[in-house]
Structures are given as structure tokens and as C-alpha cells.
Amino acid sequence: MRTRTLVTLAAAVAGLSLPAAVPASAADTPVLTTGSAGGTPVAAGDTLTASLAAGTTATLYSSATGTSGVSCAASQFTAGVTANPTAPGTATESLTAHSFGSCSANVVGVLGVTGITVNNLPYTTTVTSEGTVTVTPASGAPIQTTVVLRTLLGSITCVYQAPGLTGKASNDDNSITFTNQEFSKVSGSSLCFAKGYFTAKYAPVTDGTAPVFVN
């Protein structure tokens, strides 16, 4: 009778321990997954891309509350994943390309935008489990954007710099949003506004064709 009791007790303990082992895979979920939250891990070396969310523009306005400046109907970034640790944690990426197109300006004296170039790439990008996105330039090289404008007097070049950028990732639409990120003019004519405030929403962020989620 005692032997049967011990066997029964051991079986009961084993049965109780099984559910505790089930969440182990969830505990191994990395910061970045595809398909769904807690889905397929994004591998180091994968390339993530995103364009502007449908119906939105990327803007560089002369003030945080105004609408005077430069607006672009097209923009895209490309970043390579360098580390994707277990959540909660911080994933890291290398931002290797960031482009802008179909741009216009509503600045007095400016006829149009010839082009916008992002300089000093690559930038280091981190994404935390809370969804905070941070873009940091290489040591000794600030984040820099060169804007070439057409004016009645010819072409002018405006160069803007920022120490870094902070955005927010959302799983609702697999987006990254930057709002009023401040740039300062470091060179250019008086037609170049002294401050630039960058706002853009990129969605969806994808790994190939699969949407990326933050865990």
C-alpha cells in the first residue's frame, strides 16, 4: 500500500510540473519577432525595411508647431539586425539607408526641393521591449541631413544636424513614429531655417514581407 501511495504521489507531482514547463518557450521570445507578438524570431543579419505609412508625409518644419518647411511624400529606411536578445531587452540594428523623395517646400523665397540626403550613415538603432526606438550616430559624427533647395537666385544647400533621434514602435500597425525631432542648421543661407523639426511615421516595418513585432 505504501509503495502504491508513493508512486501515485510521484505521478501527481510530475503532472503538476508539466504546465510550468509550457511557458519556457515564451520566456525565450526575443525582442523582435515576425508574424505576431511572440511569433517567429527575427534573426541577426536580417534586413528590415519600411516606407511611410499610407497617407502620411515626412516633414522637416521650421518649428515644432508650425507647417512651414519641407514635406516629402516618399521616404524609406533599411536597417540590418545586429542583435535580437530575449525579451525584455534591447535589440540593435544598423541603419544603412534612409531616403526621401517627392519633396516640396513652402518656405518664402524657395521654389522647390532638389533633394534630401542623409549623411554619416550607418547609424546605430536600438529598440527596447517597451517600444522605444533610439537612433545614434557613430562616435564623432552627428546625424546629418543635407537639403538642397531651388530659389530664384539659384540652388542653396542647407545642412542640419542632431545628436540623436528618439521614436516609438507600435504593434498596432507595426510602425515606428518620430515626432518633432529637433535638428539645428550648421550651414546654409538665410533661406535655410535655423531649426528643423522632423516628423514621420513608417509602417509597416517588415522582415522581407513579414511584419515585425516588438516583445
Side-chain angles (χ1 to χ4, degrees):
M1 177 67 69
R2 180 176 177 79
T3 301
R4 288 188 60 191
T5 302
L6 291 174
V7 170
T8 302
L9 178 60
V13 170
L16 289 173
S17 67
L18 286 176
V22 173
S25 59
D28 295 334
T29 298
V31 176
L32 302 178
T33 58
T34 60
S36 64
T40 304
V42 172
D46 283 5
T47 299
L48 309 185
T49 60
S51 298
L52 291 177
T56 69
T57 58
T59 57
L60 186 69
Y61 287 153
S62 59
S63 72
T65 57
T67 57
S68 175
V70 174
S71 177
C72 298
S75 182
Q76 183 181 57
F77 73 76
T78 301
V81 178
T82 55
N84 188 21
T86 300
T90 301
T92 58
E93 305 164 9
S94 178
L95 180 65
T96 56
H98 195 181
S99 62
F100 295 87
S102 301
C103 301
S104 60
N106 62 347
V107 180
V108 175
V110 175
L111 302 177
V113 181
T114 300
I116 297 177
T117 303
V118 178
N119 310 121
N120 299 333
L121 292 168
Y123 301 146
T124 297
T125 302
T126 60
V127 184
T128 70
S129 292
E130 292 74 26
T132 300
V133 179
T134 305
V135 182
T136 307
S139 178
I143 290 177
Q144 180 172 295
T145 299
T146 300
V147 182
V148 181
L149 304 174
R150 298 190 308 275
T151 75
L152 290 172
L153 301 177
S155 180
I156 63 170
T157 299
C158 311
V159 180
Y160 295 92
Q161 292 181 348
L165 305 176
T166 301
K168 187 67 177 178
S170 171
N171 285 345
D172 293 340
D173 52 4
N174 311 105
S175 65
I176 295 177
T177 301
F178 298 95
T179 304
N180 287 332
Q181 298 299 290
E182 184 177 326
F183 284 74
S184 297
K185 184 183 78 172
V186 294
S187 68
S189 80
S190 59
L191 290 178
C192 305
F193 35 90
K195 296 283 187 180
Y197 294 85
F198 173 65
T199 296
K201 180 178 181 178
Y202 295 89
V205 179
T206 61
D207 182 356
T209 58
V212 175
F213 291 78
V214 179
N215 302 278

